[in-house]
């Protein structure tokens, strides 16, 4: 082509090389129009393919992430075994609850008996308190209701506080007895 021209200077490092544009194809104006259009078309197709491949890559990465977050077959079998054991325990509890449901009538009978006993106890306590007030009035304050209700008083009558304390002590003793027998 002989389009490169050298202009020699005073030394080798000052030599200039340049291209004669008039001798290049298409007179130095780059590629011909048809080739430019073909390159632009090819570039557009390549960019479209790149976008499609990037979208496909994103989809594949999502699937990979999803699959890595799911349990393996071994882990799934372990989970299944644990769930089956939990289901068995729940079925046992349901069966036990059904048996308790059969005892519902017995529980209601006991509850009614307890309520009658509580009612009777309250009536008797009211009568005793009335007796103590009458006693206090008749002795003109020598024997008072407070003195009678105190632990170790002149007349031994249980107050509400004494009954509650006794019930708490009995429950603690039962609990201690149950713990030591187990």
């Amino acid at each position: 082509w002989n389009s490169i021209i050298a202009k020699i200077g005073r030394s080798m490092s000052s030599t200039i090389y340049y291209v004669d544009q008039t001798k290049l194809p298409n007179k130095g104006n780059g590629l011909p129009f048809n080739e430019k259009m073909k390159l632009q078309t090819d570039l557009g197709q390549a960019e479209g393919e790149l976008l499609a491949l990037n979208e496909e890559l994103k989809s594949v990465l999502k699937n990979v992430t999803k699959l890595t977050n799911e349990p393996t077959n071994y882990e799934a079998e372990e989970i299944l075994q644990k769930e089956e054991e939990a289901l068995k325990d729940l079925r046992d509890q349901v069966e036990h609850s059904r048996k308790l449901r059969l005892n519902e009538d017995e529980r209601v009978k006991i509850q009614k008996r307890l309520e009658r006993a509580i009612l009777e106890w309250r009536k008797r306590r009211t009568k005793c308190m009335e007796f103590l007030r009458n006693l206090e009035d008749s002795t003109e304050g020598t024997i008072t209701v407070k003195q009678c209700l105190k632990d170790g008083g002149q007349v031994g009558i249980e107050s509400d506080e004494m009954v509650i304390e006794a019930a708490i002590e009995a429950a603690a003793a039962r609990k201690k007895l149950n713990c030591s027998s187990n």
Side-chain angles (χ1 to χ4, degrees), residues 16-170:
I16 298 175
Y17 297 91
Y18 65 94
V19 177
D20 185 6
Q21 299 290 327
T22 58
K23 294 183 180 181
L24 289 176
N26 202 15
K27 295 185 180 179
N29 289 330
L31 293 174
F33 179 75
N34 293 341
E35 289 181 29
K36 280 184 187 179
M37 292 307 292
K38 186 175 184 297
L39 280 176
Q40 286 180 346
T41 306
D42 290 346
L43 177 63
Q45 286 177 349
E47 287 175 347
E49 289 175 10
L50 178 64
L51 287 175
L53 289 174
N54 281 335
E55 290 299 320
E56 186 178 340
L57 177 64
K58 286 179 186 177
S59 173
V60 168
L61 289 176
K62 283 182 185 177
N63 284 337
V64 166
T65 304
K66 180 182 173 187
L67 290 175
T68 55
N69 289 337
E70 291 181 1
T72 62
N73 288 344
Y74 178 75
E75 292 169 339
E77 288 173 359
E78 286 180 349
I79 292 170
L80 178 63
Q81 184 179 6
K82 288 178 185 177
E83 293 299 324
E84 286 176 346
E85 289 173 5
L87 179 63
K88 183 182 180 295
D89 290 342
L90 286 175
R91 285 186 177 156
D92 292 343
Q93 289 176 5
V94 167
E95 193 62 37
H96 180 70
S97 297
R98 286 183 181 154
K99 288 178 184 176
L100 291 177
R101 190 171 168 208
L102 297 175
N103 294 332
E104 183 71 20
D105 294 337
E106 186 68 26
R107 188 189 66 77
V108 169
K109 288 178 186 176
I110 291 171
Q111 184 69 29
K112 286 182 180 178
R113 231 175 57 216
L114 180 63
E115 288 172 3
R116 284 194 301 266
I118 289 171
L119 185 64
E120 184 65 28
W121 176 77
R122 286 184 179 151
K123 285 180 186 175
R124 289 181 182 185
R125 187 185 68 180
T126 303
K127 288 180 182 178
C128 286
M129 291 301 292
E130 188 177 318
F131 169 77
L132 287 177
R133 280 190 223 97
N134 289 338
L135 183 64
E136 185 177 4
D137 289 342
S138 66
T139 61
E140 297 177 354
T142 306
I143 300 175
T144 64
V145 175
K146 269 188 173 178
Q147 290 173 340
C148 293
L149 294 178
K150 255 190 343 188
D151 195 22
Q154 295 170 343
V155 178
I157 296 179
E158 293 178 338
S159 66
D160 291 341
E161 291 81 17
M162 291 172 66
V163 171
I164 292 171
E165 287 176 15
I168 291 172
E169 289 174 8

